[in-house]
Amino acid sequence: MEEILNYTPYIALGVSLIALSFVIRNYLRKSGIYVKGQFCISSSAYAEDQYVSSFTLENFKDRSVIIFKIFLRVGPNYYIELTDFEYEPKILKPYESFSQVLKPVDYYSVNMNRIKLNKLLSSRKVKTSLVLSTSQGKYVVKEWIKRWDPVFDFFSNHLTAPIQPMRPNDQNGFYGADFAYLVRLTTEDGYKQTTAIYSGDFNYPRFEKFRLTEECLLTKEKLEDFLTEQAINGNLSCVGIEVIDGKELRSKSYGSGFQKSIEAKSYSWLTYFVIGKLLTKRSNIRLYFINRKHKKANKKLQQTLKSRS
């Protein structure tokens, strides 16, 4: 019993320190501003000046931040205005994030004069950062939001495969990627009905009063003529027929990438983390020597051209 009483002051001190740490953490969580951010500088084929195409802010405090304006500071003295919330301040709530996409600019202006910033925006030596005009004054966003993307992993392991789902637009509808044609029928009341036709549909009844033939599915024109004939004979109730070629539509929407198809293979974790890393290192070493060979050849060619001139 006496031994327990001897430890009582230390236990009380430990409890007090724990309580004090919770109080300090709660105070820090609710005081001041702590906002992380990120931005993307882009260029457009239709505009000469580079611009911030998007930015994201994330509030890491348990209190709201009132934002009046958002700037991109280039170097120590240039401030590019990105967004103005002067008449309707943006309230960034606790632990809330805010993103905005910006359009290209025609040019930048200072004191009614055009100013060009491309050299500064593209220079790695010039520091750029987001600056917020808040209800507590100027706040410089110092920490970058740590984003992750599988593309980053690809450079360290070439077995990483970033995959993008290719979706059609709402106008064409959703019929998969294997249809041969899309048939759009317009009725007398203006209603448009779209039917997907596949290469083997001559074996299945796609329409109530007739079946498609293998010959009519050979080309878009033959299918259109066949359906027009069925409409004339009274087997198809419509006033307009439009046939869309599936290959042409996919080529227009997705380019030539759709023509190549590969089957996904199953890799074990050991293969991915060990074999994949080794194959990536070998590929990087091979690419290094190829680039060095090209640089030597290019340098030799330039020396030859100088000697001739």
Side-chain angles (χ1 to χ4, degrees):
M1 188 67 179
E2 292 181 0
E3 294 180 357
I4 296 176
L5 292 175
N6 292 334
Y7 287 107
T8 300
Y10 299 103
I11 295 173
L13 178 61
V15 173
S16 301
L17 291 176
I18 293 173
L20 179 62
S21 67
F22 275 105
V23 172
I24 294 174
R25 288 180 61 184
N26 190 54
Y27 171 77
L28 294 176
R29 187 163 50 89
K30 292 180 176 293
S31 64
I33 300 176
Y34 181 24
V35 176
K36 290 185 179 181
Q38 67 172 20
F39 57 89
C40 179
I41 297 178
S42 304
S43 58
S44 173
Y46 304 100
E48 179 183 349
D49 293 84
Q50 297 182 18
Y51 66 101
V52 176
S53 58
S54 63
F55 67 86
T56 302
L57 299 174
E58 188 173 0
N59 186 9
F60 279 80
K61 286 285 187 177
D62 191 14
R63 60 175 296 178
S64 299
V65 179
I66 301 176
I67 302 174
F68 299 107
K69 289 185 179 182
I70 301 175
F71 300 88
L72 177 70
R73 186 172 67 181
V74 184
N77 60 316
Y78 296 107
Y79 291 87
I80 302 175
E81 183 177 309
L82 302 181
T83 307
D84 185 357
F85 301 112
E86 192 73 32
Y87 299 102
E88 191 176 352
K90 171 65 181 176
I91 302 177
L92 196 61
K93 297 179 182 179
Y95 306 110
E96 184 184 33
S97 61
F98 168 68
S99 298
Q100 188 171 7
V101 178
L102 304 174
K103 297 180 180 179
V105 300
D106 287 336
Y107 67 95
Y108 295 105
S109 174
V110 57
N111 296 329
M112 302 300 292
N113 296 316
R114 180 177 181 180
I115 181 171
K116 297 185 177 181
L117 299 169
N118 281 355
K119 290 184 179 180
L120 297 181
L121 290 174
S122 58
S123 175
R124 294 184 178 181
K125 297 181 180 180
V126 178
K127 185 178 180 181
T128 55
S129 56
L130 293 172
V131 179
L132 311 181
S133 172
T134 73
S135 58
Q136 299 185 39
K138 174 183 176 182
Y139 179 79
V140 180
V141 179
K142 298 179 180 179
E143 289 196 47
W144 190 266
I145 296 176
K146 295 180 180 179
R147 286 184 53 186
W148 172 86
D149 194 285
V151 174
F152 304 150
D153 289 355
F154 171 80
F155 292 106
S156 60
N157 191 332
H158 290 174
L159 286 184
T160 306
I163 299 172
Q164 290 82 33
M166 310 302 290
R167 295 184 174 91
N169 55 48
D170 296 337
Q171 183 180 359
N172 295 326
F174 306 91
Y175 305 100
D178 297 322
F179 65 89
Y181 306 99
L182 289 179
V183 176
R184 290 179 178 171
L185 303 177
T186 304
T187 59
E188 293 182 357
D189 57 358
Y191 176 75
K192 291 185 178 181
Q193 178 184 359
T194 303
T195 303
I197 305 297
Y198 299 85
S199 57
D201 274 1
F202 57 88
N203 294 321
Y204 303 96
R206 283 293 176 184
F207 299 92
E208 294 182 3
K209 296 183 181 180
F210 64 93
R211 286 198 177 194
L212 300 172
T213 64
E214 187 174 359
E215 183 180 358
C216 78
L217 295 178
L218 293 177
T219 64
K220 165 187 171 182
E221 290 75 16
K222 288 185 178 182
L223 178 59
E224 198 169 59
D225 293 341
F226 178 81
L227 295 176
T228 302
E229 183 180 353
Q230 297 298 325
I232 293 174
N233 295 335
N235 296 327
L236 193 62
S237 300
C238 64
V239 294
I241 298 173
E242 180 186 6
V243 178
I244 302 173
D245 189 283
K247 290 183 179 180
E248 293 180 1
L249 181 61
R250 286 188 289 270
S251 177
K252 184 179 180 180
S253 301
Y254 308 124
S256 59
F258 179 80
Q259 299 175 3
K260 300 178 182 179
S261 180
I262 59 175
E263 188 70 26
K265 298 180 181 180
S266 176
Y267 293 100
S268 66
W269 290 100
L270 178 65
T271 302
Y272 175 71
F273 284 107
V274 179
I275 306 300
K277 291 280 188 179
L278 294 175
L279 292 175
T280 302
K281 288 184 178 180
R282 188 185 70 173
S283 176
N284 290 339
I285 293 172
R286 181 173 173 271
L287 183 62
Y288 168 77
F289 285 106
I290 291 175
N291 290 337
R292 190 173 72 168
K293 183 179 178 181
H294 288 169
K295 287 181 181 178
K296 288 182 178 180
N298 188 33
K299 186 177 181 181
K300 187 176 180 180
L301 178 61
Q302 290 180 355
Q303 290 176 352
T304 303
L305 293 175
K306 286 182 179 179
S307 62
R308 290 182 178 178
S309 60

